[in-house]
Structure formats: structure tokens, C-alpha cells
Amino acid sequence: MDPLSPHDLADAAQLQRLLDEAARTARALAYALAHVQGLTDPTDVADYAREELAHRLRLDTPSRRPRARLAEADAVAGPDPRTAQEAVLALLRDVEGDLSIPQILNVLDDAGHALTANHVSVILTRLSQSGVIDRAGRGRYRAVSR
């Protein structure tokens, strides 16, 4: 790669944009997972997101909160008592930006909602038609700004 080549500079800028988008999406998903785990304290949510992202990126970071605490919270909380539609709406409201159907499916599956892509698509279509969420693009959705 020649850092002075216009073509290589354009490629590097494109890679940087892709990395920025992936980082925003990963951060939003980590925060959503923290809420699914039942964490509400902003410090706990930020610590959880930091630890999850570091783990996924294979970075060595000191843990600020023991992982056993999350396991205990899971045992007490049990499966998510919300309906699938309530869970989808809550997820989209908790996330900055928009999510794709596969991203929504992953988070909902972790929360104990075993749904198909078609079921989530129907829920998203209904929420979009009712004006509660916006379709951000093909297969991407976000909560309506309040």
C-alpha cells in the first residue's frame, strides 16, 4: 500500500468508514445486551459493554465486575417475560442508530425469544406501519425519535 496513492487513500478511507460503522453497531448491540441482562446502572451498563467488546475483539482488559454476578442475575431473572413485539420495540429504543433483522434476532435469541426471521419481519412491518419505528433502509429499522 502506497500512502500517497489516491487509490490507496480512497481504499483506506472506505475501510475506516466500514470500521466506524461496525464499531457503532457493536457498541449498540453491547448496550442492548446489557439491558437484556437486566443491568440499569449506567456504570454497570458501560462496564458490561466494554468487557463484551473487549472479549469479542480478543483484547486483554481487566474486569471491573466479576462475571459470576451476571450469571447470578441470569438465574434470578429467568426468560424475558415481554412479548416478542415489546422486546423488539424496547431493543430498538435502547439502541443508538438502526439494526438489521439478523442483529435483532441475535439479541432476542439471547433474551430467550426463539423467533424466526419472518416473525421478526412481520413485527417490524406492523411497528413501522403504526409509526412507532422507521425503516432506515432495506432490512434496517430504528425507533422513531421522541
Side-chain angles (χ1 to χ4, degrees):
M1 178 172 199
D2 178 12
L4 300 178
S5 164
H7 180 67
D8 288 342
L9 286 174
D11 287 346
Q14 177 63 23
L15 287 172
Q16 184 64 49
R17 282 191 295 275
L18 289 171
L19 180 61
D20 289 343
E21 175 66 26
R24 278 192 300 275
T25 301
R27 180 179 179 273
L29 288 171
Y31 272 79
L33 282 170
H35 289 290
V36 168
Q37 294 287 342
L39 300 174
T40 56
D41 178 60
T43 303
D44 286 343
V45 171
D47 286 346
Y48 177 88
R50 187 178 301 106
E51 290 171 14
E52 287 299 311
L53 291 172
H55 173 73
R56 299 289 187 297
L57 294 171
R58 294 177 176 86
L59 302 175
D60 292 326
T61 60
S63 177
R64 296 184 183 192
R65 182 176 18 87
R67 299 295 282 184
R69 185 170 154 199
L70 286 179
E72 292 168 8
D74 289 345
V76 172
D80 190 347
R82 298 176 293 186
T83 66
Q85 183 168 329
E86 291 169 339
V88 168
L89 186 56
L91 172 61
L92 289 172
R93 285 183 175 158
D94 286 344
V95 171
E96 297 174 18
D98 53 289
L99 294 174
S100 68
I101 291 174
Q103 291 169 325
I104 293 169
L105 279 170
N106 284 337
V107 174
L108 293 179
D109 186 50
D110 289 344
H113 290 281
L115 303 173
T116 65
N118 287 340
H119 189 184
V120 171
S121 180
V122 168
I123 290 171
L124 292 168
T125 299
R126 289 180 181 159
L127 289 172
S128 179
Q129 289 172 346
S130 67
V132 177
I133 65 170
D134 287 331
R135 185 171 182 237
R138 185 175 181 195
R140 300 194 65 82
Y141 298 85
R142 66 175 162 246
V144 172
S145 301
R146 294 179 182 181

